[in-house]
Amino acid sequence: MVQKKIKRTYRLTKYIIYKETLIDYKEKFWSFIGAFIGIGIIAFIQSLSFTKVENIFLIGSFGASSVLIYGAIQSPYSQPRNLIGGHLLSAFVGISVLKICPDIIWISAPLAVSASIILMQYTKTLHPPGGATALIPIIGTEKITSLGYFYMLSPVLSGVLILLITALIFSNMTKNRSYPTNKMSTRIFKTKKRLAKILPKFGESKLK
């Protein structure tokens, strides 16, 4: 019995490692394109709005989110609920902690990160980059800290929505890529895409 379990675990582990290390160039291509365009749009808006020194629109945690929503789209931490909820709740925690104890960084920094983790766990919106989003107001420049709760709307919410919309497009480009993993949401999204392609052709055939 124990031997069977060990063999089964070994086979399962071998299969998972094989799948994880399998190079599907098409999948990697769309991961690259999605991340490039998502971050590119945010960076472009940043370049139009602010100088390089005043980098408040392109925050570091978006890079970590990109790894998840373009490169690990099946992960529960990559789903829209986690992406949006995790960042927004963490941003709220970070700003709140900053207002409570702005000058004691050895308390405010760990408190912001740990409190954001607990809040994400309770709300089932755990998104690892959220920890960085909570930390940014504590360690950020005066430009960031002066935003107050507006930080939640921009750069956080605005940037997250750009990343999400890009992910919905580029993480559904092949039959093997389905984002989000919620089958109903993916089916609705893919059906709309198909209809957008079919309807113009249908209209043309009617005119003929």
Side-chain angles (χ1 to χ4, degrees):
M1 189 72 177
V2 177
Q3 237 178 355
K4 279 185 179 179
K5 279 187 178 179
I6 292 170
K7 282 182 180 178
R8 187 175 176 278
T9 306
Y10 171 73
R11 282 198 305 271
L12 190 63
T13 307
K14 193 177 175 182
Y15 174 75
I16 290 168
I17 291 170
Y18 168 75
K19 289 292 283 182
E20 287 297 316
T21 55
L22 190 65
I23 298 175
D24 185 331
Y25 292 103
K26 201 181 281 186
E27 296 298 303
K28 303 298 178 283
F29 171 77
W30 288 117
S31 294
F32 173 83
I33 294 296
F36 184 87
I37 291 176
I39 293 294
I41 291 169
I42 298 172
F44 179 69
I45 295 169
Q46 163 74 36
S47 69
L48 291 178
S49 308
F50 306 99
T51 65
K52 194 176 179 181
V53 179
E54 297 174 320
N55 182 13
I56 62 169
F57 198 74
L58 187 62
I59 58 175
S61 53
F62 289 163
S65 288
S66 296
V67 174
L68 286 169
I69 65 170
Y70 303 118
I73 59 177
Q74 299 300 317
S75 168
Y77 303 138
S78 306
Q79 304 314 304
R81 174 192 172 97
N82 298 70
L83 173 68
I84 298 170
H87 275 295
L88 281 180
L89 290 172
S90 298
F92 173 77
V93 169
I95 293 296
S96 299
V97 170
L98 180 68
K99 287 184 177 295
I100 294 165
C101 49
D103 301 319
I104 317 170
I105 194 167
W106 58 272
I107 291 178
S108 58
L111 181 60
V113 175
S114 53
S116 67
I117 291 170
I118 296 299
L119 190 56
M120 285 189 286
Q121 285 177 327
Y122 268 112
T123 55
K124 293 185 171 65
T125 56
L126 198 62
H127 187 65
T133 300
L135 191 59
I136 285 165
I138 308 296
I139 62 170
T141 62
E142 193 179 330
K143 197 82 178 175
I144 287 276
T145 56
S146 65
L147 290 173
Y149 286 106
F150 188 71
Y151 168 72
M152 291 176 65
L153 297 176
S154 181
V156 176
L157 181 60
S158 55
V160 162
L161 290 177
I162 289 169
L163 293 178
L164 176 60
I165 291 164
T166 312
L168 287 171
I169 296 166
F170 292 99
S171 293
N172 286 294
M173 293 301 285
T174 68
K175 62 180 181 181
N176 296 325
R177 291 173 74 82
S178 293
Y179 180 81
T181 52
N182 180 302
K183 288 182 180 177
M184 186 178 288
S185 301
T186 306
R187 192 162 59 245
I188 290 167
F189 182 77
K190 288 200 169 185
T191 302
K192 282 182 178 177
K193 280 179 74 180
R194 284 194 209 102
L195 284 172
K197 288 179 182 177
I198 294 166
L199 287 175
K201 292 177 184 175
F202 179 73
E204 284 172 17
S205 62
K206 281 190 80 176
L207 286 169
K208 288 175 184 177

